[in-house]
Amino acid sequence: MSAADSDKPKKNAATTHDVERALRDRFGDDVISATKFRDQIAVTVQQAKPLAILEFLRNDEGYDTLVDLAGVDCADLDGREHDFELVYVLRSAERGHPTFRLHVAIVGRENPKVPSAAELWPSAAWPEREIAEMYGIGFKQHPDPRKLLLPDNFETHPMRREYPLAGEGEREKFPELGVPHAETE
C-alpha cells in the first residue's frame, strides 16, 4: 500500500453521521448523543435496549469485535443525569470502521441491571463479572455470575464514588486477601 492509498477513506468506513442516523432511525429517543473525536465515534444511549443496540451494531453496522468493556460511576460527574455508564469499545475488522464507543447510561444506584452481552461476544463475560463486583451493576442472563476478584463474602463495591479511599476495614475483615497490615506501636 502506498502512502497515497493510506490517505484514502476505507471502503464502507462509517462516519459519525451515518452510525448516529442509523441508530436514531432504529432506536429513536433511546439515543442521547453522538460525537466524534480523533476518528473515534462515541454514542450515548439509554439503558432500555442495550443488547438490541449492540446486536444492531454487530450485525448491521459491522462492529464485529468487542475490544473492551468498562464501568464508570457518573454520580455528580459533569452534571450527568445518570448514575453509571457501561462503555463498550467496538471495532470492525472486516469493514475498517473507526473505533466505536457505546456508552449505556444507567439511572439508579440501587441494584442496577442490564442484559449480558456475553451471548454476542463471549469476551464480555469477564469484564461483566469485574463490573458487577466493583460497581454493583448486575448482568441478566450472565453465563457465570460468580465473583472474579473479591472474596464471596465481600459485599460492597469498591469502585463506587461513595466507597471510602481508605476502605472499610477489609484488612481486618478479610485476612484471606493476604494484605499485611502495619504494626502499630
Side-chain angles (χ1 to χ4, degrees):
M1 180 189 298
S2 70
D5 290 336
S6 66
D7 292 337
K8 294 179 184 176
K10 292 181 180 181
K11 186 177 180 182
N12 296 326
T15 65
T16 305
H17 185 68
D18 294 340
V19 176
E20 179 184 9
R21 184 174 351 131
L23 284 169
R24 286 194 190 279
D25 288 349
R26 181 83 176 258
F27 298 100
D29 291 338
D30 287 331
V31 177
I32 298 170
S33 67
T35 58
K36 185 172 182 179
F37 180 72
R38 296 188 180 183
D39 291 331
Q40 296 188 12
I41 301 167
V43 174
T44 302
V45 299
Q46 297 188 32
Q47 80 183 67
K49 303 174 193 162
L51 199 55
I53 293 170
L54 287 166
E55 190 170 13
F56 172 75
L57 289 168
R58 185 190 70 177
N59 297 342
D60 295 3
E61 294 297 318
Y63 286 97
D64 52 10
T65 306
L66 175 68
V67 176
D68 197 10
L69 170 56
V72 179
D73 187 342
C74 298
D76 304 321
L77 186 62
D78 296 333
R80 296 180 193 183
E81 295 179 13
H82 50 277
D83 296 293
F84 297 101
E85 281 183 3
L86 292 176
V87 183
Y88 296 85
V89 181
L90 307 174
R91 295 287 314 227
S92 173
E94 185 177 310
R95 296 187 190 178
H97 293 337
T99 299
F100 188 96
R101 283 178 167 65
L102 181 71
H103 296 249
V104 177
I106 300 173
V107 177
R109 296 191 74 73
E110 293 302 315
N111 201 22
K113 291 196 181 299
V114 295
S116 172
E119 183 179 311
L120 296 173
W121 292 287
S123 61
W126 283 57
E128 287 177 350
R129 287 172 65 185
E130 180 181 0
I131 291 166
E133 279 184 77
M134 296 293 142
Y135 294 95
I137 300 169
F139 290 89
K140 299 179 228 171
Q141 294 91 33
H142 194 279
D144 185 6
R146 292 176 301 154
K147 287 198 173 196
L148 180 66
L149 302 170
L150 301 171
D152 289 338
N153 55 349
F154 198 96
E155 296 177 9
T156 58
H157 308 291
M159 292 299 288
R160 285 189 171 203
R161 290 186 181 271
E162 64 267 17
Y163 193 80
L165 288 177
E168 294 181 340
E170 289 81 4
R171 292 179 182 190
E172 293 77 25
K173 292 181 192 175
F174 301 100
E176 65 269 24
L177 292 178
V179 179
H181 47 275
E183 299 277 334
T184 56
E185 295 181 17

